[in-house]
Amino acid sequence: MEVRRIGLGPGETYTLRLPGRGARGYVWTWQVTGDEDAVTVAVADAGPGAERGPLPGEAVERAYTLRGRRPGARARIRFAQIRPPYPQEAPYDELLLEVEVHGKR
């Protein structure tokens, strides 16, 4: 599992782009732990081709926008690429993002 560390200021954003495998039934999920109100996570524009939809077999990149909220807070966001019909399977890919929001509490 890849681990990345980033720092954000309150209101500052960071866009995370993750490779897609939608043609094979995989989707990205995320879970925030630690100071859960440290950041928000929102699905962003998926990039080129998003408006037309994927072509058969095409991998579509997924983008997520994180926004720092509470100064001095820390959160861990675990992104996992899974196939929802098969929850017992291990994720195809995972990423752990450790986020620190700069500033004083």
Side-chain angles (χ1 to χ4, degrees), residues 21-44:
R21 297 182 64 81
R24 295 192 175 102
Y26 288 91
V27 297
W28 284 101
T29 62
W30 69 88
Q31 180 179 15
V32 180
T33 59
D35 295 325
E36 293 180 11
D37 61 344
V39 295
T40 58
V41 181
V43 177

Side-chain angles (χ1 to χ4, degrees), residues 14-101:
Y14 172 81
T15 300
L16 175 67
R17 298 193 179 282
L18 298 171
R21 297 182 64 81
R24 295 192 175 102
Y26 288 91
V27 297
W28 284 101
T29 62
W30 69 88
Q31 180 179 15
V32 180
T33 59
D35 295 325
E36 293 180 11
D37 61 344
V39 295
T40 58
V41 181
V43 177
D45 177 14
E51 63 283 346
R52 68 165 160 72
L55 298 174
E58 180 180 30
V60 177
E61 180 180 78
R62 295 294 176 216
Y64 300 89
T65 300
L66 288 67
R67 182 178 302 277
R69 292 186 61 208
R70 190 163 55 88
R74 295 173 184 255
R76 299 177 92 187
I77 307 167
R78 178 183 170 261
F79 288 88
Q81 197 173 35
I82 63 165
R83 292 194 302 172
Y86 307 101
Q88 71 282 4
E89 287 184 359
Y92 179 81
D93 199 4
E94 291 181 280
L95 169 72
L96 181 63
L97 193 59
E98 296 183 349
V99 182
E100 179 179 357
V101 181

